[in-house]
Structure formats: C-alpha cells, structure tokens
Amino acid sequence: MAIVSKVKDKAEEKAAKVADPVAASMDVATQQMIARAQELGIDTVFDRAVQMKPCNIGTQGICCKNCSMGPCRLPLPKGGIEGEDTRKGLCGATANTIAARNFIRMIAGGASAHSDHGRSVAEVFMSAARKETDAYKIKDTTKLVAVAKELGVSTTVEVDGETRDRDLDEVALEVAKIAMNEWGKPEGELLYLKRAPQPLYEKWSKTGVKPRNIDREIVEIMHRTHMGVDQDYKNLIKQGTRAALADGWGGSMLATDLQDILFGTPYPLQSEANLGVMKEDHVNIVIHGHEPVLSEIIVAVSQRKDILEYAKSKGAKGIQLSGICCTANEILQRHGVPPAGTFLQQELAIITGACDAMVVDIQCIFQNLANVAKCFHTKLITTHPIAKMEQDNVLHIEFDEHHALEDAERIVKLAIDNFQNRGQEVMIPRQKATQIAGFGVESIQYHLGGTFRGTYYTLNDNIINGRIRGIAGVVGCNNARTRHNEAHIQVVKELIKNDVIVLTTGCNGIACAMEGLLTPESAMVYCGPGLREVCETVGIPPVLHLGSCVDNSRILLAATEVVKAGGLGKDICDLPAAGSAPEWMSEKAISIGHYFVASGVYTVFGVTLPTSGAPVFHNYLANELEKLYGGKWDLETDPIKHAQLMIAHIDKKRKELGIDKARDRVLMDMADRQKLEA
Ligand code: NFS
C-alpha cells in the first residue's frame, strides 16, 4: 500500500510541475497566455513538455519496433564505440539499419502528408474542371497555361491550318487528369522532375532515384522497412531520397500549383500576425490545419453581406478570421487573413476565451485542443474524413467539394451563434505585428527580375556583386523541447545581418511575422549594409514569406530560376545558398529536409536528429550524400552557430564561383562611403 501511495504522490508531484512562461517562449503574447492557462488550471503543451521527458533512445533513432520481438533498443555504449559496433537487435539489425529504417519511415510519413494534401486539392481541381461544383472555379488562367505546359498539355489547337488557343476548360480537364495520374501511374517518372536544372536531373537518373509515381515510393518505404527486408542503410536511404523527391518535386509542387490555379497565385499583401489579431467584439473563427480547400470558402462566406448582417444581429461587430499553422499561411498568402500564431500557440488561441469556433482540417492539430475547448464556449469543428477526434465535445462537419458552400455557411453560422455564449474569462493579448506576405516565384521575378528580362536577373546581379551574400531557406515547425520561436528568430536575424536574404515558409514564416521581420522597414534595423540597400531600393522585406510547407516547392523553383538566370553555376548545389529548420518537429520536416539535400542544398536542422545513435548512418547523411547530390544534412542546436554554418557554406560556394572578391569590394565601398561621410 505504501508503495502505491508513494507512486501516486510522485505522479501528483509531476503533474503539478508547470512551465516557466518566459523560459518556454520568447513571445510576450505567448508568455501571457501560458500564465493565463496556468491560472485557469488548464495544461498546455508547454507544461506537458516539462512534465514528460523524451525517450533518450528514441531520440537517437535506435529503437526498432517494426516487429513484436522488440522493441529492440540499441543505446550507444557509454564513452562511445571503440572498434567494431556490435550492437544488434533480435534479428541482427544493426544501429545503422534501424536508424535508416526509422528515418525513411519519417520521410514516408511526411511525404504522404504533403502528397495526400496535394491529392485532395487535385480532386477538387478535377471537380472544378468538370464543373461539378459551384464553389470552385479556375481563378488563375495564366498559371493554368503555365502548368499545362509543364505537364505536357497542349494549350493551342490547329483549326483549318490556323493555330488557336485551346478552350481553357478543356485544358483544365486534361491538366486535372494528368496531375491525378502522377499519384499512381503504372510507368514512367514524375513529370515535374524535368523542371529541375539539367545536371540535377542527370544526378537523379544516374543514382536511380527518379520517383516513378508518388504513392509507389511511399508504399515501397513501408515494404522495405518491414521486418527482414532492406538491411543496407545506403539502399534504404536511396528509397528515402526517391520518396522525398516525390514529395518536393511531386506532391507538394502539385499541391502548390493546383492551389494557385484554383485560388489564385499569391502576390505581396499586407497583414498582421500573433494572438492580438483576434478581436473581442467580433466573432472569432480560427482556422487551423493545412488544406486550404474548405478555408478558402470560409473566407468567402464570412465576407458576405448577409453573413455579416447575421453576425451583427447577434451582437458582434463583425467576423474576424485568423489562422494557425499552414492553413493560416494559405489564406494569409491569398487573402491577407492574419495568422493568430504558430504551431505551439494553437491551444492559446482557445485560452483567450474569445475563440467562437476553431475549424481544423489535417496535420499538426493537437488532440488536446478538445480538452481545452471543453473549458470554454469554443466549438471545435473537425472537417476532414481522415482526421477526427475521439472527445465527445468535438463536432464533425465533413467537408465535400460538392457542398462546400453549405458546409462553410454552416460552420460560420455556428460560430456566430456561439458568440453570445462567451464567458467572462476573455483575455486577448494585445501583441500583433504588421507583415508583408504573399511572395512566390512569380512575385520575386517581378520584384527582383530585370526590367527587360523576365528572369531573376536583378537578384543574381546583386548576389554576384556581393550586396546579397547568398540565399537561405529557413522553414519549419516549432518544437516544445526548445524555447518557442527563439531559434527561428535568432537564425534569421543572424542571416540577414550578414546580408543573406531569407525565403521563409511554414511556422518560421509566422514566427518572423510576429517578430516584425516581414516588413521592408525591418531591413533598416536588422540587415547588413548590402542587403539593406537592395531591400530599400526594391522595397521588399529581407525575409520573403513564400507560404505553407507544401510551398517549399516554391523555394525549389526559385532556386532553379536563379540557376537559369545565369552567372551562379549550373546546378542548385552551385548556388551560394543553404537551408534550415531551426525548430523542426514533424515527419514532414524530415521529408522536406531530405528533398532539399537531394536537390543540392546544404541543410541544417536544430533541436536534434534521430540519427545520433547510429554514427555511421549519420555520417552518410552528413558527408557522403554530398558526393551524389551536392547537398548534405547537418545538425546545430545553437542558433548563432547554426546560421554561421550556413554562412560559411555560402562563402565557400561564392569562392568556388569566383565571386568572393566582389563582396570584399562591396564592403570596401561601404567603408569608403563611411569615410566620406565622416
Ligand atoms: Ni510544416 Fe505546417 Fe508548422 Fe511544421 Fe506543422 S504547420 S506543414 S509541419 S508545425 S511548419
């Protein structure tokens, strides 16, 4: 009995431990809301991270649970491995095999998430092309024509010996069919691979990693990692590469393209970010998840006059939409709907007490939202057939493109009706920041292209002359194991301070927005002299927000445009460029990281990598892959060192290109100028 009560005491003691708000996040609004939750006795992810430590063996990637003889755990011996690594599981699987299997299963998880999202969009696109739905129409016909060409769909037709433009509905239908086919075609290879620079495409051909279709590569990972199949870490990661490429140059890229055609290609616009965008006197609807197919319609419905009148009739001044995670980024990019926060702030949006409805679709959604919603009047609504919650306070309104308008209306009206049910406990933090978002391959071309040449001429020119030292893609999640947003912000600030222009997506984009880094004015405060000059001249922020995580495909294409514009080598790996995910947590991030590496990008992750328990496999990722694709993995938890590693790589590439001297001149120019001023 005594033991039992002791255990109970311990459990209680553990449960009582809560997060220190300031240690948990660098963002003041977040700190306030963590404290607020604790005051109300509601636990958040920040508290749970204090209460539960991660498994040390799992973190290192060396726990195998692929059969029921295990889980087999292969911890590194204290003091490291001297001589032969004799660790093995019951079947004999080595640490390398186990870590590689786990790693590529993460790729499979991530690639499937992005690609299944893409498939859903393709299905809606198909319905729109077939005119089966009133809710969706082709919005961006210019992009339709551009994508048609990439997919080999003819946009002209011969009539009586004359070349005419083909009917766009016909083009859309054929695009839809060919796009859908990319998920499961029986032979050939993904069509978009040819969009990559020729040398990269050839590397993929030579190493045999060109994806055949999207689904197959993911299925093959599940097969190869089943007990007793592939037992060679190099061969395992080769399949990981194939699936990751099927994500970046396949599922994600198709998602982005088809979303642009359906909902419009983003162009720069102004918005705001952080919990302070929620309004006490408005109906607050927070949209969270990743697929913008339903949220697009919710945006449209909540702007309708009759709906606004209805909201007013219930005592609200209007409807304030806001977002969390990548659905937020999607509706931000296209409509300027402000994000209420990053991944780690999802519970906090409800804890404001002012969230009348939270609408979730897929991915990055905490199951604990349901428990938090129970403490408030908030209606938590799941909308996707593949993503439900077990708690009984969750409403499921299943989205279907054929009745999307009705679904959206029902959701918005539910939120409006719920406005009157708010309790006394409303507390919305005041913090919010202005941001300019909505960049993309097309708008970068507009801002940083040449006057006479429609390419990335100005960008390249400024890289060659050294004003811009290089390009960084900084992306990815938050992770409750590190201080919220701190690494994101420090890495980005260190990069722009050193004249590296940053392309951002995902939760990094939201974090940067919250910190005010997505404004042209921030260039004056945070940038080195060269990048500042470019930002001032062109009127752009030093950090360009390219959208959600599937929009990392935009970074691949932007890099390809830079290669095409000339003067900076022949392949993505020649560019003075690097990638980073300072606070990653999801399997999607591993897939993204790996397709960046396999596309020639030096990619640094923060937090941890699930490879540290298998040094040989880790070394393969960190050093050997570079020989195949020009890109490689790295891990650095210190944000400043992390950024410095990227800068060192950028400088190495500048030297290889013979443009390192140009930067010395630029710096001398500045000194000279300062001397003159003095
Ligand atoms: Ni990307 Fe987007 Fe955020 Fe990470 Fe989740 S929202 S798809 S996975 S947490 S960046």
Side-chain angles (χ1 to χ4, degrees):
M1 281 309 281
I3 294 168
V4 172
S5 77
K6 225 184 195 171
V7 168
K8 208 175 140 218
D9 283 352
K10 264 219 157 147
E12 270 168 13
E13 187 193 312
K14 240 185 173 176
K17 239 167 110 189
V18 292
D20 169 357
V22 178
S25 174
M26 68 169 284
D27 170 54
V28 176
T30 303
Q31 293 168 1
Q32 283 171 7
M33 292 316 292
I34 296 171
R36 174 69 176 155
Q38 290 167 354
E39 217 173 85
L40 297 171
I42 303 167
D43 66 281
T44 64
V45 62
F46 300 98
D47 303 315
R48 296 190 293 277
V50 171
Q51 288 152 15
M52 190 198 287
K53 291 273 161 269
C55 163
N56 186 36
I57 297 168
T59 324
Q60 297 177 52
I62 37 174
C63 170
C64 180
K65 51 183 181 55
N66 294 10
C67 88
S68 79
M69 297 193 292
C72 292
R73 295 166 306 159
L74 272 54
L76 273 171
K78 274 206 181 90
I81 297 162
E82 273 172 45
E84 209 189 327
D85 185 355
T86 52
R87 295 174 294 162
K88 52 178 184 244
L90 259 63
C91 69
T94 63
N96 293 327
T97 299
I98 292 173
R101 283 199 299 225
N102 290 339
F103 195 80
I104 74 169
R105 276 203 176 193
M106 289 183 89
I107 293 178
S112 68
H114 288 142
S115 300
D116 223 24
H117 160 176
R119 186 201 323 266
S120 290
V121 176
E123 280 167 357
V124 173
F125 186 89
M126 178 71 97
S127 296
R130 283 186 181 143
K131 304 214 180 315
E132 290 171 359
T133 158
D134 296 332
Y136 302 95
K137 295 204 169 58
I138 306 291
K139 212 175 200 172
D140 190 338
T141 49
T142 312
K143 185 111 186 191
L144 171 65
V145 169
V147 169
K149 285 183 184 146
E150 298 294 346
L151 293 174
V153 175
S154 169
T155 54
T156 55
V157 62
E158 297 288 324
V159 183
D160 303 331
E162 221 183 285
T163 309
R164 287 195 202 151
D165 284 341
R166 221 175 137 196
D167 176 54
L168 284 181
D169 289 338
E170 246 178 69
V171 174
L173 197 58
E174 206 178 321
V175 164
K177 281 183 190 155
I178 292 189
M180 290 286 287
N181 210 27
E182 291 296 274
W183 273 266
K185 60 187 179 189
E187 50 191 13
E189 62 186 48
L190 289 189
L191 295 167
Y192 274 178
L193 299 178
K194 288 252 164 70
R195 296 175 91 170
Q198 182 68 21
L200 182 56
Y201 179 84
E202 279 161 16
K203 282 173 197 160
W204 295 335
S205 302
K206 204 173 133 208
T207 48
V209 294
K210 286 186 297 182
R212 293 154 292 188
N213 69 50
I214 297 164
D215 289 348
R216 179 168 182 180
E217 307 311 348
I218 295 164
V219 169
E220 192 169 308
I221 285 185
M222 298 315 285
H223 179 191
R224 285 207 202 190
T225 56
H226 181 276
M227 195 273 143
V229 187
D230 204 347
Q231 297 158 27
D232 171 6
Y233 67 91
K234 289 182 195 166
N235 205 39
L236 282 159
I237 197 65
K238 187 173 155 189
Q239 181 57 21
T241 302
R242 193 138 63 158
L245 291 174
D247 175 357
W249 297 87
S252 280
M253 202 171 271
L254 281 162
T256 297
D257 278 348
L258 299 179
Q259 283 171 184
D260 281 357
I261 299 172
L262 271 179
F263 310 134
T265 302
Y267 277 92
L269 43 71
Q270 187 174 329
S271 185
E272 294 176 325
N274 211 346
L275 291 163
V277 303
M278 295 173 73
K279 293 197 183 116
E280 186 155 2
D281 51 10
H282 280 55
V283 173
N284 287 296
I285 305 177
V286 182
I287 311 179
H288 174 19
H290 285 77
E291 256 179 43
V293 283
L294 175 59
S295 49
E296 274 289 322
I297 312 299
I298 293 180
V299 173
V301 166
S302 55
Q303 288 166 349
R304 247 168 45 194
K305 223 174 146 205
D306 59 316
I307 295 287
L308 287 171
E309 288 304 322
Y310 186 64
K312 282 181 188 149
S313 78
K314 300 284 173 172
K317 285 223 171 104
I319 301 172
Q320 178 62 52
L321 289 184
S322 60
I324 301 271
C325 286
C326 283
T327 290
N329 285 324
E330 299 281 2
I331 51 182
L332 163 72
Q333 295 288 96
R334 297 193 179 86
H335 305 285
V337 173
T342 62
F343 170 70
L344 281 183
Q345 289 169 286
Q346 52 186 285
E347 291 162 303
L348 308 182
I350 298 179
I351 292 165
T352 60
C355 176
D356 302 302
M358 183 177 272
V359 188
V360 303
D361 49 72
I362 44 159
Q363 299 167 23
C364 300
I365 297 150
F366 288 170
Q367 184 163 0
N368 198 55
L369 287 179
N371 303 330
V372 178
K374 246 182 218 167
C375 309
F376 297 90
H377 75 302
T378 307
K379 294 252 184 267
L380 180 59
I381 306 167
T382 53
T383 57
H384 207 290
I386 69 162
K388 294 188 176 184
M389 289 185 186
E390 67 184 29
Q391 288 97 325
D392 54 13
N393 62 322
V394 182
L395 228 81
H396 186 73
I397 299 180
E398 195 157 302
F399 165 76
D400 183 313
E401 69 263 30
H402 300 96
H403 46 72
L405 264 175
E406 291 84 341
D407 295 339
E409 267 175 29
R410 202 176 141 208
I411 289 168
V412 174
K413 282 193 174 155
L414 256 165
I416 295 172
D417 291 337
N418 201 26
F419 178 74
Q420 293 166 326
N421 298 330
R422 279 207 202 153
Q424 295 299 307
E425 62 282 350
V426 172
M427 187 186 127
I428 303 173
R430 290 216 312 276
Q431 287 78 8
K432 59 178 175 178
T434 303
Q435 64 165 323
I436 308 291
F439 287 89
V441 178
E442 296 83 353
S443 57
I444 295 177
Q445 187 158 313
Y446 174 75
H447 286 278
L448 286 165
T451 322
F452 302 109
R453 318 190 202 182
T455 68
Y456 277 39
Y457 178 74
T458 309
L459 176 60
N460 282 35
D461 200 33
N462 276 301
I463 296 173
I464 294 165
N465 70 29
R467 278 193 196 91
I468 297 177
R469 189 171 189 160
I471 308 170
V474 189
V475 308
C477 329
N478 285 143
N479 187 316
R481 299 297 176 194
T482 64
R483 193 173 184 224
H484 170 236
N485 283 2
E486 185 169 68
H488 279 313
I489 299 307
Q490 286 193 2
V491 167
V492 169
K493 279 190 179 165
E494 184 69 12
L495 289 167
I496 60 176
K497 186 175 116 192
N498 285 284
D499 293 324
V500 176
I501 192 168
V502 173
L503 307 180
T504 178
T505 61
C507 288
N508 180 274
I510 303 174
C512 288
M514 287 163 57
E515 190 64 15
L517 296 176
L518 302 190
T519 60
E521 295 74 31
S522 72
M524 253 84 88
V525 188
Y526 299 110
C527 287
L531 181 57
R532 186 193 314 151
E533 196 183 323
V534 175
C535 290
E536 272 174 10
T537 315
V538 190
I540 52 164
V543 184
L544 304 179
H545 194 348
L546 267 61
S548 67
C549 285
V550 292
D551 293 332
N552 282 316
S553 60
R554 296 191 202 275
I555 300 184
L556 295 176
L557 292 177
T560 305
E561 287 301 317
V562 174
V563 173
K564 276 199 228 153
L568 291 170
K570 294 198 160 53
D571 196 352
I572 293 178
C573 65
D574 298 330
L575 301 176
S580 155
E583 299 181 28
W584 79 279
M585 62 85 204
S586 83
E587 291 170 325
K588 289 178 284 177
I590 292 289
S591 181
I592 293 165
H594 200 68
Y595 72 63
F596 269 106
V597 168
S599 301
V601 181
Y602 170 59
T603 304
V604 193
F605 269 40
V607 196
T608 174
L609 274 180
T611 54
S612 56
V616 175
F617 173 59
H618 180 86
N619 179 57
Y620 189 73
L621 296 180
N623 295 305
E624 298 299 314
L625 280 183
E626 194 177 19
K627 294 172 194 155
L628 302 178
Y629 310 110
K632 58 178 181 176
W633 280 91
D634 207 346
L635 168 71
E636 177 52 63
T637 53
D638 180 277
I640 301 298
K641 282 189 203 152
H642 183 116
Q644 284 299 339
L645 282 170
M646 297 167 75
I647 294 166
H649 179 82
I650 284 168
D651 285 349
K652 188 179 114 196
K653 291 294 167 182
R654 292 190 68 88
K655 198 162 179 203
E656 282 169 16
L657 288 165
I659 55 170
D660 48 330
K661 297 285 179 302
R663 233 189 103 66
D664 296 344
R665 275 200 298 280
V666 168
L667 294 177
M668 217 165 31
D669 283 352
M670 273 310 292
D672 289 348
R673 238 176 278 161
Q674 274 160 2
K675 251 187 239 155
L676 280 179
E677 277 165 21

PDB file of all heavy atoms in Angstrom, residues 561-575:
ATOM      1  N   GLU A 561      15.167  28.970 -60.862  1.00  0.00           N
ATOM      2  CA  GLU A 561      15.151  30.223 -61.640  1.00  0.00           C
ATOM      3  C   GLU A 561      16.476  30.963 -61.492  1.00  0.00           C
ATOM      4  O   GLU A 561      16.971  31.555 -62.445  1.00  0.00           O
ATOM      5  CB  GLU A 561      13.998  31.132 -61.183  1.00  0.00           C
ATOM      6  CG  GLU A 561      12.616  30.664 -61.603  1.00  0.00           C
ATOM      7  CD  GLU A 561      12.462  30.531 -63.117  1.00  0.00           C
ATOM      8  OE1 GLU A 561      12.933  31.419 -63.844  1.00  0.00           O
ATOM      9  OE2 GLU A 561      11.890  29.521 -63.560  1.00  0.00           O
ATOM     10  N   VAL A 562      17.022  30.946 -60.279  1.00  0.00           N
ATOM     11  CA  VAL A 562      18.309  31.613 -60.055  1.00  0.00           C
ATOM     12  C   VAL A 562      19.386  30.942 -60.915  1.00  0.00           C
ATOM     13  O   VAL A 562      20.198  31.608 -61.558  1.00  0.00           O
ATOM     14  CB  VAL A 562      18.694  31.590 -58.553  1.00  0.00           C
ATOM     15  CG1 VAL A 562      20.098  32.155 -58.347  1.00  0.00           C
ATOM     16  CG2 VAL A 562      17.697  32.399 -57.735  1.00  0.00           C
ATOM     17  N   VAL A 563      19.365  29.614 -60.941  1.00  0.00           N
ATOM     18  CA  VAL A 563      20.332  28.895 -61.782  1.00  0.00           C
ATOM     19  C   VAL A 563      20.153  29.317 -63.242  1.00  0.00           C
ATOM     20  O   VAL A 563      21.110  29.654 -63.941  1.00  0.00           O
ATOM     21  CB  VAL A 563      20.153  27.362 -61.646  1.00  0.00           C
ATOM     22  CG1 VAL A 563      21.034  26.626 -62.653  1.00  0.00           C
ATOM     23  CG2 VAL A 563      20.481  26.914 -60.223  1.00  0.00           C
ATOM     24  N   LYS A 564      18.891  29.343 -63.677  1.00  0.00           N
ATOM     25  CA  LYS A 564      18.602  29.668 -65.085  1.00  0.00           C
ATOM     26  C   LYS A 564      19.025  31.084 -65.456  1.00  0.00           C
ATOM     27  O   LYS A 564      19.447  31.340 -66.585  1.00  0.00           O
ATOM     28  CB  LYS A 564      17.094  29.530 -65.347  1.00  0.00           C
ATOM     29  CG  LYS A 564      16.659  28.120 -65.662  1.00  0.00           C
ATOM     30  CD  LYS A 564      15.303  28.191 -66.363  1.00  0.00           C
ATOM     31  CE  LYS A 564      14.327  27.214 -65.764  1.00  0.00           C
ATOM     32  NZ  LYS A 564      12.925  27.604 -65.899  1.00  0.00           N
ATOM     33  N   ALA A 565      18.889  32.008 -64.494  1.00  0.00           N
ATOM     34  CA  ALA A 565      19.202  33.406 -64.810  1.00  0.00           C
ATOM     35  C   ALA A 565      20.694  33.607 -65.091  1.00  0.00           C
ATOM     36  O   ALA A 565      21.089  34.601 -65.685  1.00  0.00           O
ATOM     37  CB  ALA A 565      18.748  34.311 -63.671  1.00  0.00           C
ATOM     38  N   GLY A 566      21.505  32.652 -64.674  1.00  0.00           N
ATOM     39  CA  GLY A 566      22.903  32.647 -65.101  1.00  0.00           C
ATOM     40  C   GLY A 566      23.875  33.353 -64.186  1.00  0.00           C
ATOM     41  O   GLY A 566      23.518  34.206 -63.382  1.00  0.00           O
ATOM     42  N   GLY A 567      25.119  32.944 -64.301  1.00  0.00           N
ATOM     43  CA  GLY A 567      26.208  33.594 -63.569  1.00  0.00           C
ATOM     44  C   GLY A 567      26.496  32.979 -62.218  1.00  0.00           C
ATOM     45  O   GLY A 567      27.435  33.377 -61.534  1.00  0.00           O
ATOM     46  N   LEU A 568      25.683  32.001 -61.797  1.00  0.00           N
ATOM     47  CA  LEU A 568      25.882  31.427 -60.467  1.00  0.00           C
ATOM     48  C   LEU A 568      25.977  29.895 -60.519  1.00  0.00           C
ATOM     49  O   LEU A 568      25.541  29.206 -59.603  1.00  0.00           O
ATOM     50  CB  LEU A 568      24.755  31.863 -59.525  1.00  0.00           C
ATOM     51  CG  LEU A 568      24.750  33.349 -59.130  1.00  0.00           C
ATOM     52  CD1 LEU A 568      23.476  33.709 -58.399  1.00  0.00           C
ATOM     53  CD2 LEU A 568      25.960  33.698 -58.259  1.00  0.00           C
ATOM     54  N   GLY A 569      26.559  29.414 -61.597  1.00  0.00           N
ATOM     55  CA  GLY A 569      26.736  27.971 -61.699  1.00  0.00           C
ATOM     56  C   GLY A 569      25.632  27.316 -62.503  1.00  0.00           C
ATOM     57  O   GLY A 569      24.756  27.989 -63.049  1.00  0.00           O
ATOM     58  N   LYS A 570      25.693  25.985 -62.542  1.00  0.00           N
ATOM     59  CA  LYS A 570      24.788  25.262 -63.433  1.00  0.00           C
ATOM     60  C   LYS A 570      23.761  24.418 -62.687  1.00  0.00           C
ATOM     61  O   LYS A 570      22.868  23.830 -63.277  1.00  0.00           O
ATOM     62  CB  LYS A 570      25.613  24.348 -64.338  1.00  0.00           C
ATOM     63  CG  LYS A 570      26.500  25.125 -65.297  1.00  0.00           C
ATOM     64  CD  LYS A 570      26.959  24.253 -66.449  1.00  0.00           C
ATOM     65  CE  LYS A 570      27.419  25.061 -67.641  1.00  0.00           C
ATOM     66  NZ  LYS A 570      28.433  26.073 -67.312  1.00  0.00           N
ATOM     67  N   ASP A 571      23.916  24.356 -61.383  1.00  0.00           N
ATOM     68  CA  ASP A 571      23.034  23.474 -60.623  1.00  0.00           C
ATOM     69  C   ASP A 571      22.713  24.141 -59.283  1.00  0.00           C
ATOM     70  O   ASP A 571      23.432  25.053 -58.856  1.00  0.00           O
ATOM     71  CB  ASP A 571      23.745  22.127 -60.389  1.00  0.00           C
ATOM     72  CG  ASP A 571      22.784  21.024 -59.968  1.00  0.00           C
ATOM     73  OD1 ASP A 571      21.594  21.326 -59.714  1.00  0.00           O
ATOM     74  OD2 ASP A 571      23.213  19.864 -59.887  1.00  0.00           O
ATOM     75  N   ILE A 572      21.664  23.659 -58.626  1.00  0.00           N
ATOM     76  CA  ILE A 572      21.281  24.245 -57.336  1.00  0.00           C
ATOM     77  C   ILE A 572      22.444  24.158 -56.340  1.00  0.00           C
ATOM     78  O   ILE A 572      22.691  25.081 -55.573  1.00  0.00           O
ATOM     79  CB  ILE A 572      20.010  23.551 -56.786  1.00  0.00           C
ATOM     80  CG1 ILE A 572      18.813  23.876 -57.698  1.00  0.00           C
ATOM     81  CG2 ILE A 572      19.719  23.979 -55.343  1.00  0.00           C
ATOM     82  CD1 ILE A 572      17.509  23.215 -57.309  1.00  0.00           C
ATOM     83  N   CYS A 573      23.215  23.048 -56.402  1.00  0.00           N
ATOM     84  CA  CYS A 573      24.312  22.893 -55.436  1.00  0.00           C
ATOM     85  C   CYS A 573      25.447  23.877 -55.685  1.00  0.00           C
ATOM     86  O   CYS A 573      26.314  24.039 -54.827  1.00  0.00           O
ATOM     87  CB  CYS A 573      24.835  21.465 -55.437  1.00  0.00           C
ATOM     88  SG  CYS A 573      25.600  20.987 -56.980  1.00  0.00           S
ATOM     89  N   ASP A 574      25.451  24.548 -56.827  1.00  0.00           N
ATOM     90  CA  ASP A 574      26.487  25.558 -57.076  1.00  0.00           C
ATOM     91  C   ASP A 574      26.153  26.895 -56.413  1.00  0.00           C
ATOM     92  O   ASP A 574      27.023  27.743 -56.232  1.00  0.00           O
ATOM     93  CB  ASP A 574      26.635  25.813 -58.592  1.00  0.00           C
ATOM     94  CG  ASP A 574      27.080  24.567 -59.335  1.00  0.00           C
ATOM     95  OD1 ASP A 574      27.783  23.747 -58.722  1.00  0.00           O
ATOM     96  OD2 ASP A 574      26.719  24.419 -60.528  1.00  0.00           O
ATOM     97  N   LEU A 575      24.893  27.097 -56.085  1.00  0.00           N
ATOM     98  CA  LEU A 575      24.451  28.407 -55.594  1.00  0.00           C
ATOM     99  C   LEU A 575      24.990  28.707 -54.197  1.00  0.00           C
ATOM    100  O   LEU A 575      25.128  27.799 -53.376  1.00  0.00           O
ATOM    101  CB  LEU A 575      22.919  28.465 -55.533  1.00  0.00           C
ATOM    102  CG  LEU A 575      22.151  28.242 -56.824  1.00  0.00           C
ATOM    103  CD1 LEU A 575      20.644  28.230 -56.535  1.00  0.00           C
ATOM    104  CD2 LEU A 575      22.486  29.323 -57.835  1.00  0.00           C
TER     105      LEU A 575
END
